[in-house]
Amino acid sequence: SADGGRNLSLESVPMGLPMSDPSAWSTAMNNLGMAPMGMTGQPLLPDFDPALGMMTGIPPINPMMPGLGIVPPPIPPDMPAAKEIIHCKSCTLFPPNPHLPPPATRERPPGCKTVFVGGLPENGTEQIITEVFEQCGEVIAIRKSKKNFCHIRFAEEFMVDKALYLSGYRIRLGSSTDKKDTGRLHVDFAQARDDLYEWECKQRMLAREERHRRRLEEERFRPPSPPPVVHYSDHECSIVAEKLKDDTKFLEAIQTLLTWIERGEVNRRTANNFYSMIQSANSHIRRLVNEKAAHEKEMEEAKEKFKLALSGILVQFEQIVAVYHSASKQKAWDHFTKAQRKNISVWCKQAEEIRNIHNDELMGIRREEEMEMSDEEIEDPSEMKETEESALVSQVEALKEENDSLRWQLDAYRNEVELLKQEQGKASRDEDTTKEQQMKLLQQALQGMQKHLLKVQEEYKKREAELEKVREDKLKIEALLENLKEQESGTSRVCACSQEKEGPVEKTSSNSPVKSEREVLLVGIISTFLHVHPFGASIEYICSYLQRLDSKICTAEVEVLMTRLQNTFRQELSGVGASLEKRWKFCGFDGLKMT
């Protein structure tokens, strides 16, 4: 059949040979360590004990014995687990004892297609070897030795696994029982230079394919290169000039303009066109500044929204912490179980930590706003005048420079017009039309430059008039400042005299609400404690903090002291209904302004 070269024929076909003494045959099989089987594959002794095979005194080879360090070959998936008798034309293969361990093999070389076959019969020929191993696959070469072993090279690697399946089989030539016609096959991997060379060639081919595949993947995922910039021409210049006026196409046009300038396209003939394009690009600065201001406004609105949301979250955290504190009081605390009390205390700690983090964040935002406000305070009028004067002076100088540059450009245009007039008389009639167009363009440019020069001169005169007014205002302000200083010195002298007269009266009439150094220390500690609690604290909370420092402090003493200092501490009511609570807040900064 067509599949005869790829698969082993494992069917047990009777050979048709006479068997004169079945008992002798079973005895021989028993001595070989195999179960006695008939020629048809049926067991001759149904109650055969496999342990009898060990009576020969030769223990079976165990692949895990110390010193071997080898692994038995795997059974191919298309091979049956139970080995059977294999019948060939010139020989018969008897399977090994299934209870014996599989034969050991060496480590498989890479790309192995060659096997070593040992234990061949002395009378075995190359034809018999081909007949046995052709059932495993296509045999390319057989190298037979005189010492009952050979090397067989197959066409594919998987055929080697099928050949290893025959390791351990007993081979018998025909029906002879002569020792020269029998043998035990030992099939193992063999290392051959041809197999290694083919395997290396295959690996190099796979590496080339992998590199090619990666190159294709990289080219597929590589971003496309930008389109090339066109070369300068009058037509392309007009297109770019129109794109520069459009906000949506400005970026593309400005890149083209930059490339042209870097290429060196600017010359005496194209300078006007490039100047107009640069002027168009300059007109977009105001648009970009307005866009930036709009984005800054949106950012400020987002900051304000975030600050309001954070303050609302902080109020809710304060309410949750107040709930935990009220639950921790003895009236409600005694009714909770031990596990519930533990959970409430843990939750209270977590809520206080999160509340403090949010509070610090909000205070940081407010500090940043105060610093920004202090940086943006209005400066003195004299300094404002000086800055305005310096700005006007810089503008006047810039206008002078622009005026000089315009004059130089006018001189250059006049020279070009004269050169064109001289060349016009020498040129041919075919070039008259182009030169007339150039003359018209130059005349229009000259007229525009003259108008611009007049405007600049008018602005220059206006700026000079404004500068003179600013100088006069500065002189007036300096005179006023001197008068104010003289008046302040006079009033300070009068105040000093009056204070000397009224000093003793004030000393006798002043009565301090703080009567001892202990009360001064208490006021300082309470002020510091309330300053870090912007939403206030109850009198019990304040006294619990003070009693950690001094256990003799009582609540009544602290409350009397705080009620005396109305400009420093303020009592407020917070909550609704049953959760109504009195809280003390620090108002020293406001009281300082009132006193």
Side-chain angles (χ1 to χ4, degrees), residues 98-118:
H99 299 284
L100 293 176
T105 59
R106 61 182 294 180
E107 185 179 358
R108 182 169 189 157
C112 180
K113 296 181 184 178
T114 306
V115 295
F116 166 82
V117 182

Side-chain angles (χ1 to χ4, degrees), residues 114-141:
T114 306
V115 295
F116 166 82
V117 182
L120 293 172
E122 292 184 11
N123 295 332
T125 62
E126 187 173 337
Q127 183 179 0
I128 293 173
I129 296 170
T130 305
E131 181 182 346
V132 172
F133 286 95
E134 265 186 349
Q135 301 179 67
C136 302
E138 182 184 356
V139 177
I140 294 177

Side-chain angles (χ1 to χ4, degrees), residues 13-20 25 39-40 87-92 94 172-176:
V13 181
M15 294 178 63
L17 296 174
M19 186 172 62
S20 60
W25 178 255
M39 299 303 293
T40 61
H87 300 283
C88 301
K89 293 180 181 179
S90 305
C91 61
T92 306
F94 298 96
R172 189 185 68 183
L173 304 180
S175 59
S176 175

